[in-house]
Structure formats: structure tokens, C-alpha cells
Amino acid sequence: LAADLDSEGGAWVCVKDAKKEGDVRVWYRAEEGAELHTLKVDYDMDARLEYVLVLLNEITLLHKWLPFIGASDLLSHRSRCERIAYVKVQSPAPIMLYHRDVCFYARAIDGLDEDGCVQIIARSIEDGDFGVAHPKIVGRTVRIGVDYGCVKFIPLNRGRTRVRCVVKVDPKMQGLPAWLINWIATKVCWVGMRLWEWKARSLEGSQEAGKEHKQRMDENPEFYSWMVGRIQECLGVAPEREGKGAAETDPLIGIGTLSV
């Protein structure tokens, strides 16, 4: 996984290059057998790592800010950094191309002290794994398999975050040519990254768009005090922000100082 995340040569083919430094880039790698597809995405978000992670942690709110997510649910909260979740990707034309859904296990790894990053690894699970039953498949939906997935978050200066993702997936689209599958995946990756950045930025201010996530943060101070405290500790950032009214506009102020 580490080699896949950090390499750009070899069998990787760039299918969406950056128009400027730090812009969204997407790579594809052909795998043995037509069923498997491996994609990699790299983007420097103009958003703080804390907010980027808040959006990913609140799994049941994914469909609120990603228009192609039809449903999302938390199936099991196994530990502070382990989740089993369900996500459904909505097709714009389900008569021709069915919706796709997946049940997966994900674990976050705090590597801030060692590597200056946070990583999340994930894979799909079978019905009954970890004692968790899959939701029923509803309507025009196909359940896909994710061989592995990994997201690497690297905090940059000036409150920016480098996000690198790689995923090896069987989308269950044997009837479609590889170029069309890659085109669809590339568009989803590009839109998803842009919306992720926009939503993360909305959490930092007082915009109405971030109120649901801010409420979740208030309801779970133990987890978010730990998460924010770890990031601020490693970056050497004080939890307080200067400026009149900062405490009213930035929901992270003070969270890093709460006891856990």
C-alpha cells in the first residue's frame, strides 16, 4: 500500500492530470483479469486536517454532502479508530447502470509522530464477518467488492492537507469497457475531492452548511478532543485562534484542551 500511494511510475497511467500544482490528479493501473480496477487520487486540499477527518468520521452524514451517495450507515463502532460501515453509490440512470453498494471495515492509523501523517485502511467484508450482518440489497443495486483501499492524510503548511487515495475494486461492471469504467471513476473522484474540500472549509466558519457536523462534534467531545489534540500537538498549533468572535465561528477552539 505504501508503494502504491507514493509511486507514480511503473504501470500507473495518469488519466486526469493537474492543471496547476496541487490540483486533483487521478491514475489508473490495469490488473490481471477484467474484473479488478485500481485507481489512485492525489489532491492538496485547502482545508485543515481536523475538518477533513471530521467529514470522513461522520459516516452517516456522507450522503448529505456527496450527491452520488444514496445512503450511508454505521454498522459497528468497534473501537475509537475502527468502523464497519455501509455506503451506497447512486447511479444517475439505474435502468441502464444499477446502483452500487458495499459493506466495509476501516481502521485509522495515527502515524503523526512517526511519518507525519494519518492513514485509513479499508476492505470490503462478507456477510457475517465480525458478527455484522449486511443490509439487504434493495432495488436496482449490485454489491461490489473492495480488495483494499487506503487514504493517506499529510498536513501541510498554511492549514492545507495533502490527500492520497488508492483503491483496488471489483465494480461488478463486466459488461462495460474498461475505458468507460475508468472515465466514470475519474469523474466521481474529481467531484468527490472538490466537494470534500468545500465541505471541510465550510466547517471552519459559521456557514449553515456545516451545522450538522458541528452538532456531531459537540455530541462526541471525548473522541474529537483526542483527535484534534493529537493533530495540534504534532503540528505545534495552539488550540486557541486569535480574532474577535473566533470561538463562535471555529468549532475546534478549545476541543483540543478537553480532558479524555
Side-chain angles (χ1 to χ4, degrees), residues 6-200:
D6 297 328
S7 66
E8 297 181 10
W12 288 109
V13 177
C14 184
V15 293
K16 173 68 175 66
D17 207 352
K19 294 182 179 180
K20 59 181 180 180
E21 185 178 357
D23 204 356
V24 181
R25 294 186 294 169
V26 183
W27 293 265
Y28 166 78
R29 185 177 66 198
E31 303 288 351
E32 291 185 10
E35 296 82 11
L36 295 175
H37 300 262
T38 304
L39 292 163
K40 183 170 66 171
V41 187
D42 190 294
Y43 184 39
D44 289 355
M45 291 188 183
D46 188 14
R48 286 160 54 188
L49 175 58
E50 300 96 313
Y51 294 114
V52 173
L53 293 177
V54 166
L55 291 173
L56 208 57
N57 183 61
E58 296 300 336
I59 295 166
T60 58
L61 294 180
L62 288 178
H63 65 285
K64 296 283 188 175
W65 57 276
L66 288 173
F68 48 80
I69 300 297
S72 54
D73 196 12
L74 179 63
L75 303 180
S76 176
H77 191 151
R78 299 186 57 79
S79 71
R80 180 158 63 181
C81 295
E82 290 179 288
R83 309 283 189 271
I84 294 178
Y86 165 82
V87 172
K88 182 175 183 177
V89 179
Q90 203 83 2
S91 169
I95 294 179
M96 296 182 292
L97 182 64
Y98 283 11
H99 310 302
R100 259 61 184 173
D101 71 1
V102 62
C103 297
F104 63 92
Y105 165 87
R107 179 181 180 182
I109 300 172
D110 177 2
L112 289 169
D113 291 329
E114 297 81 7
D115 306 309
C117 71
V118 174
Q119 292 194 53
I120 296 177
I121 55 175
R123 63 173 176 86
S124 59
I125 62 171
E126 299 295 330
D127 191 11
D129 285 354
F130 300 99
V132 176
H134 281 193
K136 293 183 179 179
I137 299 176
V138 179
R140 298 174 179 270
T141 304
V142 175
R143 185 146 294 163
I144 67 173
V146 176
D147 199 28
Y148 65 78
C150 183
V151 189
K152 185 176 185 179
F153 303 90
I154 306 170
L156 306 174
N157 59 1
R158 298 190 302 275
R160 306 176 74 227
T161 304
R162 177 164 295 157
V163 181
R164 290 177 172 168
C165 312
V166 62
V167 60
K168 185 176 182 180
V169 59
D170 179 3
K172 308 292 185 182
M173 295 181 180
Q174 286 83 352
L176 294 180
W179 68 266
L180 181 56
I181 296 175
N182 296 333
W183 181 84
I184 294 172
T186 298
K187 294 297 182 183
V188 170
C189 290
W190 189 90
V191 171
M193 284 289 179
R194 290 289 192 175
L195 288 175
W196 196 354
E197 176 186 48
W198 169 81
K199 188 66 176 181

